[in-house]
Amino acid sequence: MKEIRFRCITISKTETIKGFIVNAVKEDGVVQFFTYKKKSNIDSMNLVDVVCFKKRNDFLIVKDMHIIDRFEKIRNSFELLSFALFIMEITFKTNSRMNILFNALKILSNDKPKIALVWFLANFLIQNGIFNENGFSPQEKALINFIRKTSNISNLKIDDVSFYVLLSKLFKNAKEYIGDDFSNNVVWRFLK
């Protein structure tokens, strides 16, 4: 039986009588796989290597799975976890690729959450061809370009009001593209 190997970030896990269904995002978009294990330390927000058998019904069947990263720093902070869940929800709902999600989680682990969210939303909108430059001031566009391209964004200083206005615009564009509301609105508590 042919094996399928891939790396993915888990989004959710649902328990069934026979095992677990896992929703995840891999390099080419959303994937679902099934593991017959009765107990699993896989949950949301794991970077995992997966080896599956060919599809049975609608699912790939897991032969082997190894956790590479559990993003522990994010898990240990309610604020960071709220931002991560928000980013994961957008990625999953839009069938986006894993690279933007993975990089956003890494930035979230190492930098300020607001910066990680600007980085994610800007890259998400640009990758999907829906970034409308006309809706942003020259200063906002310069800030977005700086955050997207520099490797040392942890020292960036910007006032909260400007950040909130920029994030509101990016969020509005993402929401219009998705055409749906987000279940994780806790993130806005931290933006105010």
Side-chain angles (χ1 to χ4, degrees):
M1 191 175 270
K2 186 179 176 183
E3 292 180 348
I4 301 167
R5 296 173 181 267
F6 56 89
R7 186 168 282 187
C8 62
I9 296 176
T10 57
I11 303 297
S12 64
K13 175 179 86 171
T14 305
E15 189 173 351
T16 69
I17 294 170
K18 295 184 179 183
F20 296 98
I21 298 169
V22 179
N23 291 314
V25 176
K26 62 181 185 137
E27 197 48 50
D28 58 353
V30 172
V31 65
Q32 282 188 320
F33 51 88
F34 183 81
T35 179
Y36 281 102
K37 293 181 179 180
K38 292 293 182 185
K39 292 184 180 178
S40 174
N41 54 356
I42 297 293
D43 57 1
S44 300
M45 203 172 55
N46 294 279
L47 176 63
V48 294
D49 272 329
V50 181
V51 179
C52 292
F53 296 116
K54 207 168 171 137
K55 280 188 176 184
R56 250 187 244 156
N57 298 328
D58 292 331
F59 302 102
L60 295 168
I61 306 300
V62 172
K63 177 182 178 184
D64 196 22
M65 186 168 36
H66 298 285
I67 296 175
I68 300 165
D69 193 348
R70 289 182 49 80
F71 303 99
E72 291 299 334
K73 184 174 179 185
I74 295 173
R75 289 173 183 273
N76 292 328
S77 164
F78 181 71
E79 178 182 13
L80 295 179
L81 186 58
S82 295
F83 279 82
L85 293 173
F86 180 73
I87 289 169
M88 289 166 49
E89 180 180 4
I90 291 173
T91 304
F92 187 76
K93 279 186 172 181
T94 58
N95 194 21
S96 293
R97 297 178 176 173
M98 183 182 83
N99 63 337
I100 290 181
L101 174 59
F102 177 74
N103 289 328
L105 291 174
K106 284 297 185 188
I107 293 170
L108 190 57
S109 295
N110 297 317
D111 295 309
K112 300 172 186 174
K114 293 175 188 175
I115 294 172
L117 191 54
V118 168
W119 186 94
F120 171 79
L121 289 172
N123 280 290
F124 168 79
L125 293 169
I126 290 166
Q127 180 177 327
N128 286 294
I130 53 172
F131 182 75
N132 181 4
E133 287 191 13
N134 296 332
F136 298 89
S137 70
Q139 294 83 3
E140 290 170 335
K141 287 188 273 192
L143 180 60
I144 288 169
N145 284 331
F146 177 77
I147 290 173
R148 288 185 64 232
K149 295 183 176 160
T150 189
S151 58
N152 188 16
I153 57 177
S154 60
N155 296 328
L156 177 66
K157 303 285 186 230
I158 185 170
D159 65 279
D160 287 340
V161 173
S162 298
F163 239 140
Y164 183 74
V165 169
L166 176 59
L167 281 169
S168 295
K169 289 179 181 180
L170 291 167
F171 176 77
K172 181 181 177 207
N173 287 344
K175 190 173 175 181
E176 286 172 0
Y177 174 69
I178 294 167
D180 194 5
D181 209 352
F182 302 108
S183 61
N184 184 358
N185 288 319
V186 176
V187 73
W188 291 106
R189 242 183 32 197
F190 295 110
L191 295 176
K192 293 182 179 181

